[in-house]
Amino acid sequence: MGELAERVVLSRTRVSRVVDELVAAGLVSREGNPDDGRSAFAVLTADGLARYRTAAPVYLAGIEREFAARLADAELSAVASALRKVITWPITPRPTAGGRD
């Protein structure tokens, strides 16, 4: 959950609560990390994947309408290039205020 928290810019505590809600809704399951018994992975269930596939086109259409449609091709290429760099950066945990999540 820690890596997920870093990627979505939320505290581990908040991510854990969101994952708990998704588990309760049957959209994800928690699977233990075989390399680190202290952590777990949030994994989409079949229902979660189906819901994702239903929501994704609506979400992507909104991005196209509100953001991408307003940019020229060269600008879109620049944004895409920058985002490719961002998504490949390694995750470096940051200390939280008071040393807690």
Side-chain angles (χ1 to χ4, degrees):
M1 297 303 133
E3 183 178 340
L4 181 57
E6 286 293 323
R7 290 195 183 269
V8 297
V9 194
L10 294 172
S11 72
R12 277 187 244 158
T13 300
R14 182 65 190 133
V15 166
S16 187
R17 288 182 184 148
V18 169
V19 170
D20 287 344
E21 292 171 11
L22 294 171
V23 168
L27 302 175
V28 301
S29 63
R30 287 181 189 258
E31 293 187 8
N33 179 347
D35 297 326
D36 182 356
R38 299 169 298 165
S39 65
F41 296 114
V43 179
L44 283 174
T45 63
D47 190 32
L49 182 58
R51 297 274 294 272
Y52 167 78
R53 287 181 173 156
T54 299
V58 175
Y59 179 72
L60 294 173
I63 292 171
E64 171 65 28
R65 182 182 61 251
E66 301 299 329
F67 178 73
R70 300 166 192 244
L71 299 176
D73 287 346
E75 293 168 322
L76 287 171
S77 292
V79 169
S81 177
L83 289 175
R84 275 193 290 279
K85 288 181 182 180
V86 170
I87 64 173
T88 61
W89 289 344
I91 299 297
T92 305
R94 295 181 305 270
T96 57
R100 297 183 351 198
D101 286 315

